[in-house]
Amino acid sequence: MRSQIIAGPAGALHVVDHPAAGAPPAPGAGRAGEALPLVLVHGMVGHTGFWEAPLAHLAGRRRAVAVDLRGHGASEAPVDADYSPAACAADVLAVLDALGLPRVALVGHSFGTLVAIAAAAARPDRVARLVLVDGPGDFTQLPAEIREQQLSPLLAALETDDWRAAARVGFDGALAGSAPATREVVLGRLAATPRDRLLGMYRSMIEFPTVATLDRYLAVPGARAHAIVAPSNAWPFSLHVLRPALAAAVMPETGHWLMMDAPARFTEHLEAWLTAA
């Protein structure tokens, strides 16, 4: 594994680069016949370490790169506080350029699914396969009254001095069904995350046209997308509900951070999709 810093559009970006078996990290996808490289994008309050367990299970099978999103992990925060999916997607594409990866399988978790979708729609030629891990769905598809009654109060609460308590309520809900070790890690990261990161991501997540952006990618000939979700991800605005053609695998007995709850099973689902004809 190699840890390195890459220049991004809005500041330095930290990545960890895991080589395929018997080969050091190198530009491009490697020799002909090698497995498609993976690029992994964490979600809100996460960092590259959230992928540590599944990366251990993937060791030697294919090259895998995990990215710290701007303002997370060891990546710099943008001076303009822009944490929108489009801005973060530009960072991911900059990583592909810097590492010489012309075509990859792009995997995003939670808020990272929005980033992955934005990157795939912007550069479908760079994304051979798109894997959406328990994405938040498309909040723009909710009725206006639901957005006003449920989402607006959350954003308002994040603007108050008691914002950490408001954020904790949301994360406690997302952690339902999670393993105790996962819960401890996630809440620890939440406690260490500044408000501007959370507020910026929540605001942009609620306004991001997820389905329309995903449709742009899927309209490209050869585009392929798949979802791996926790049992709780079955809302009317879930992506695989809004788009039944989006094949989805449900992982039982997991919470929202399913790749941390059950890394071996998660890796099996991931590899099955990546190697499917």
Side-chain angles (χ1 to χ4, degrees), residues 20-60:
R31 297 179 295 274
E34 282 190 352
L36 191 69
L38 280 179
V39 174
L40 302 144
V41 184
H42 64 78
M44 201 180 298
V45 314
H47 62 111
T48 56
F50 277 31
W51 299 107
E52 183 176 357
L55 282 172
H57 286 274
L58 283 167

Coordinates of all heavy atoms in Angstrom, one line a residue, residues 20-60:
A20 N -2.2 -4.5 -7.4 CA -2.6 -5.8 -7.7 C -1.5 -6.8 -7.2 O -0.3 -6.3 -7.0 CB -2.9 -6.0 -9.1
A21 N -1.7 -8.1 -7.2 CA -0.7 -9.0 -6.7 C 0.5 -9.0 -7.6 O 0.4 -9.0 -8.8 CB -1.3 -10.4 -6.7
G22 N 1.7 -8.9 -6.9 CA 2.9 -9.0 -7.6 C 3.3 -7.7 -8.4 O 4.3 -7.8 -9.1
A23 N 2.6 -6.6 -8.2 CA 2.9 -5.4 -9.0 C 2.8 -4.2 -8.1 O 1.9 -4.1 -7.3 CB 1.9 -5.3 -10.2
P24 N 3.8 -3.3 -8.2 CA 3.8 -2.1 -7.4 C 2.8 -1.1 -8.0 O 2.4 -1.3 -9.2 CB 5.2 -1.5 -7.5 CG 5.7 -2.1 -8.8 CD 5.0 -3.4 -9.0
P25 N 2.3 -0.2 -7.3 CA 1.4 0.8 -7.9 C 2.1 1.5 -9.1 O 3.2 1.9 -9.0 CB 1.2 1.8 -6.7 CG 1.4 1.1 -5.5 CD 2.5 0.1 -5.8
A26 N 1.3 1.6 -10.1 CA 1.9 2.1 -11.4 C 0.8 2.8 -12.1 O -0.4 2.6 -11.9 CB 2.5 1.0 -12.2
P27 N 1.2 3.8 -13.0 CA 0.1 4.5 -13.8 C -0.7 3.5 -14.6 O -0.2 2.5 -15.1 CB 0.9 5.4 -14.7 CG 2.2 5.6 -13.9 CD 2.5 4.3 -13.3
G28 N -1.9 3.8 -14.8 CA -2.8 3.1 -15.7 C -3.3 1.8 -15.1 O -3.1 1.5 -13.9
A29 N -4.1 1.1 -15.9 CA -4.7 -0.1 -15.4 C -3.8 -1.3 -15.3 O -4.2 -2.4 -14.9 CB -5.9 -0.4 -16.3
G30 N -2.6 -1.2 -15.9 CA -1.6 -2.3 -15.8 C -1.6 -3.0 -17.1 O -2.1 -2.6 -18.1
R31 N -1.1 -4.3 -17.0 CA -0.9 -5.1 -18.2 C -2.3 -5.6 -18.7 O -3.3 -5.6 -18.0 CB -0.1 -6.3 -17.8 CG 1.4 -6.0 -17.4 CD 2.1 -7.2 -17.0 NE 1.5 -7.9 -15.9 CZ 1.9 -7.6 -14.6 NH1 2.7 -6.6 -14.4 NH2 1.3 -8.2 -13.6
A32 N -2.3 -5.9 -20.0 CA -3.5 -6.4 -20.6 C -4.0 -7.6 -19.9 O -3.3 -8.5 -19.5 CB -3.2 -6.7 -22.1
G33 N -5.3 -7.6 -19.7 CA -5.9 -8.8 -19.0 C -6.0 -8.6 -17.5 O -6.6 -9.4 -16.8
E34 N -5.4 -7.5 -16.9 CA -5.5 -7.3 -15.5 C -6.9 -6.8 -15.1 O -7.6 -6.3 -16.0 CB -4.5 -6.3 -15.0 CG -3.1 -6.8 -14.9 CD -2.1 -5.9 -14.2 OE1 -2.5 -4.7 -14.0 OE2 -1.0 -6.3 -13.9
A35 N -7.3 -7.1 -13.9 CA -8.6 -6.7 -13.5 C -8.8 -5.2 -13.5 O -7.8 -4.5 -13.3 CB -8.8 -7.3 -12.1
L36 N -10.0 -4.8 -13.7 CA -10.3 -3.3 -13.7 C -10.0 -2.7 -12.4 O -10.4 -3.2 -11.3 CB -11.8 -3.2 -14.0 CG -12.3 -1.8 -14.3 CD1 -11.8 -1.3 -15.7 CD2 -13.8 -1.8 -14.3
P37 N -9.2 -1.6 -12.3 CA -8.9 -1.0 -11.0 C -10.2 -0.4 -10.4 O -11.1 0.0 -11.0 CB -8.0 0.2 -11.4 CG -7.5 -0.1 -12.8 CD -8.6 -0.9 -13.5
L38 N -10.1 -0.4 -9.0 CA -11.2 0.1 -8.2 C -10.8 1.5 -7.7 O -9.7 1.7 -7.3 CB -11.5 -0.8 -7.0 CG -12.3 -2.0 -7.2 CD1 -12.4 -2.7 -5.8 CD2 -13.7 -1.7 -7.7
V39 N -11.8 2.4 -7.6 CA -11.6 3.6 -6.9 C -12.7 3.8 -5.9 O -13.9 3.7 -6.3 CB -11.5 4.9 -7.9 CG1 -11.5 6.2 -7.1 CG2 -10.3 4.8 -8.8
L40 N -12.4 3.9 -4.7 CA -13.4 3.9 -3.6 C -13.5 5.2 -2.9 O -12.6 5.9 -2.6 CB -12.9 2.8 -2.5 CG -12.7 1.4 -3.1 CD1 -11.5 0.8 -2.4 CD2 -14.0 0.6 -2.9
V41 N -14.8 5.7 -2.8 CA -15.1 7.0 -2.3 C -16.0 6.8 -1.1 O -17.1 6.3 -1.2 CB -15.8 7.9 -3.4 CG1 -16.1 9.3 -2.8 CG2 -15.0 7.9 -4.6
H42 N -15.5 7.3 0.1 CA -16.3 7.2 1.3 C -17.4 8.2 1.4 O -17.5 9.1 0.5 CB -15.3 7.4 2.5 CG -14.7 8.7 2.6 ND1 -15.4 9.8 3.1 CD2 -13.5 9.2 2.3 CE1 -14.6 10.9 3.0 NE2 -13.4 10.5 2.5
G43 N -18.2 8.2 2.5 CA -19.3 9.1 2.7 C -19.0 10.2 3.7 O -17.8 10.4 4.1
M44 N -20.0 10.8 4.1 CA -19.9 11.9 5.1 C -19.2 11.4 6.4 O -19.5 10.4 6.9 CB -21.3 12.4 5.4 CG -21.5 13.8 6.0 SD -23.2 14.2 6.4 CE -23.9 14.2 4.7
V45 N -18.3 12.2 6.9 CA -17.5 12.0 8.1 C -16.4 10.9 7.9 O -15.7 10.6 8.8 CB -18.2 11.8 9.4 CG1 -19.3 12.9 9.6 CG2 -18.8 10.4 9.6
G46 N -16.4 10.3 6.8 CA -15.5 9.1 6.6 C -14.1 9.5 6.2 O -13.8 10.7 6.1
H47 N -13.3 8.5 5.9 CA -12.0 8.7 5.3 C -11.6 7.4 4.7 O -12.3 6.4 4.8 CB -11.0 9.2 6.4 CG -10.9 8.2 7.6 ND1 -9.7 7.5 7.8 CD2 -11.7 7.8 8.5 CE1 -9.8 6.8 8.9 NE2 -11.1 6.9 9.3
T48 N -10.4 7.3 4.2 CA -9.9 6.1 3.5 C -9.9 4.9 4.4 O -10.1 3.7 4.0 CB -8.5 6.3 2.9 OG1 -7.6 6.6 4.0 CG2 -8.5 7.3 1.8
G49 N -9.8 5.1 5.7 CA -9.7 3.9 6.7 C -11.1 3.2 6.7 O -11.1 2.0 7.2
F50 N -12.2 3.8 6.3 CA -13.4 3.1 6.3 C -13.5 2.0 5.3 O -14.3 1.1 5.4 CB -14.6 4.1 5.9 CG -15.1 5.0 7.1 CD1 -14.2 5.3 8.2 CD2 -16.4 5.4 7.2 CE1 -14.7 6.1 9.2 CE2 -16.9 6.2 8.2 CZ -16.0 6.5 9.3
W51 N -12.5 2.0 4.4 CA -12.4 0.9 3.4 C -11.3 -0.1 3.8 O -11.1 -1.1 3.0 CB -12.1 1.4 2.0 CG -13.1 2.4 1.5 CD1 -13.0 3.7 1.3 CD2 -14.4 2.0 0.9 NE1 -14.1 4.3 0.8 CE2 -15.0 3.2 0.5 CE3 -15.1 0.8 0.8 CZ2 -16.3 3.3 -0.1 CZ3 -16.4 0.9 0.2 CH2 -16.9 2.1 -0.2
E52 N -10.7 0.0 5.0 CA -9.6 -0.8 5.3 C -9.9 -2.3 5.3 O -9.1 -3.1 4.7 CB -9.1 -0.4 6.7 CG -7.8 -1.2 7.1 CD -7.3 -0.7 8.4 OE1 -7.8 0.3 9.0 OE2 -6.3 -1.3 8.9
A53 N -11.0 -2.7 5.9 CA -11.3 -4.1 6.0 C -11.6 -4.7 4.6 O -11.1 -5.8 4.2 CB -12.5 -4.4 7.0
P54 N -12.5 -4.1 3.8 CA -12.7 -4.7 2.5 C -11.5 -4.6 1.6 O -11.3 -5.5 0.8 CB -13.8 -3.8 1.9 CG -14.0 -2.6 2.8 CD -13.5 -3.0 4.1
L55 N -10.6 -3.6 1.8 CA -9.4 -3.6 1.0 C -8.5 -4.8 1.4 O -7.8 -5.3 0.5 CB -8.6 -2.3 1.2 CG -9.2 -1.1 0.5 CD1 -8.5 0.2 0.9 CD2 -9.0 -1.2 -1.0
A56 N -8.5 -5.2 2.6 CA -7.7 -6.3 3.0 C -8.2 -7.6 2.4 O -7.5 -8.4 1.9 CB -7.8 -6.5 4.6
H57 N -9.6 -7.7 2.2 CA -10.1 -8.8 1.5 C -9.9 -8.8 0.0 O -9.8 -9.8 -0.6 CB -11.6 -8.9 1.8 CG -12.0 -9.4 3.2 ND1 -12.1 -10.7 3.5 CD2 -12.2 -8.7 4.3 CE1 -12.4 -10.8 4.8 NE2 -12.5 -9.6 5.3
L58 N -9.7 -7.6 -0.5 CA -9.4 -7.5 -2.0 C -7.9 -7.6 -2.3 O -7.6 -7.7 -3.5 CB -9.9 -6.1 -2.4 CG -11.4 -5.9 -2.7 CD1 -11.7 -4.4 -2.8 CD2 -11.9 -6.7 -3.9
A59 N -7.1 -7.7 -1.3 CA -5.6 -7.6 -1.4 C -5.2 -8.6 -2.5 O -5.5 -9.8 -2.4 CB -4.9 -7.9 -0.1
G60 N -4.5 -8.1 -3.5 CA -3.9 -9.0 -4.5 C -4.8 -9.3 -5.7 O -4.3 -9.7 -6.7

